[in-house]
Amino acid sequence: MRRVVHPIEEESYRRLRARLDTSHFPPLTRAVVERVIHSAADLDYATDLVMDEDSLEKAHAALHSGAPVVVDVEMVAAGITRRETVCRLRDAVAGPGLTRSAHAIRLAHEQVGPGALWVIGNAPTALEELLTLDAAPALVIGLPVGFVGAVESKAALRESGLPAVSNVSEKGGSAVASAALNALLYHPASHPDSRPDSRPEENL
């Protein structure tokens, strides 16, 4: 089912590409970079994001085969328009040495098991907790934002060797994290080597 083209977002992508040449990126990397930039109107993400095309290809296949998607907060879930997500933050409680966000990740891991895609855009402690678990993720989109713990948690994600999308700076947040996941959702499953589909859903 083709997505409906919204003229405003189509024009936004045209202007983005006029200001930034993304043609050298491999297909899924380009899709993620462009959608993240579009969500934040921040061209610097082109050099701030860190990802691997091979990992994206495997995650793309898992996602389109029905792998569960786990998010750290409801704001990330709200940005993912084409897939049900798991968010256990409402069920979580803080405890000694454990933030509510971290507890939510534990609960989600107990629920979904291995092979999920994890999308973390808010809490560095959620990402830190995920790295302590034997989650065997299909992909971790680790883009928490903030001046305390965000850079360190994303560096730890890259050092872990897990398949991941991260960024180097303090920037991030729910909108860019959900945008990275949406890039994989929107990219056609039947043509993995095609150019990214920048055509958005109507009223997205």
Side-chain angles (χ1 to χ4, degrees), residues 2-155:
R2 298 296 293 177
R3 291 161 50 223
V4 177
V5 178
H6 194 293
I8 293 175
E9 193 164 337
E10 191 172 56
E11 173 63 12
S12 181
Y13 267 79
R14 188 194 67 78
R15 294 187 187 191
L16 184 163
R17 290 166 177 163
R19 294 176 60 182
L20 178 70
D21 181 8
T22 61
S23 62
H24 62 286
F25 289 118
L28 289 169
T29 299
R30 184 186 186 201
V32 172
V33 168
E34 289 188 342
R35 191 152 290 276
V36 166
I37 289 173
H38 177 264
S39 72
D42 187 346
L43 297 174
D44 289 343
Y45 273 111
T47 55
D48 192 39
L49 287 164
V50 180
M51 69 196 87
D52 172 75
E53 184 74 5
D54 183 59
S55 295
L56 293 181
E57 289 176 357
K58 293 174 182 175
H60 180 266
L63 182 63
H64 286 272
S65 296
V69 176
V70 183
V71 301
D72 62 332
V73 292
E74 293 289 350
M75 287 184 67
V76 175
I80 299 171
T81 58
R82 287 198 162 195
R83 177 62 65 88
E84 293 295 320
T85 62
V86 174
C87 182
R88 297 298 302 274
L89 190 60
R90 292 184 180 180
D91 305 315
V93 292
L98 185 72
T99 67
R100 188 167 164 239
S101 294
H103 186 222
I105 294 300
R106 288 189 189 180
L107 294 175
H109 177 247
E110 292 170 2
Q111 178 178 338
V112 304
L117 289 90
W118 296 77
V119 189
I120 297 174
N122 183 68
T125 57
L127 182 53
E128 291 166 0
E129 182 63 23
L130 179 60
L131 295 179
T132 70
L133 303 175
D134 186 20
L139 185 71
V140 180
I141 296 175
L143 296 169
V145 61
F147 292 112
V148 179
V151 167
E152 293 82 359
S153 66
K154 289 179 279 194

Side-chain angles (χ1 to χ4, degrees), residues 10 124 126 128 171 194-195:
E10 191 172 56
E128 291 166 0
K171 296 188 296 187
S194 63
R195 292 168 73 86

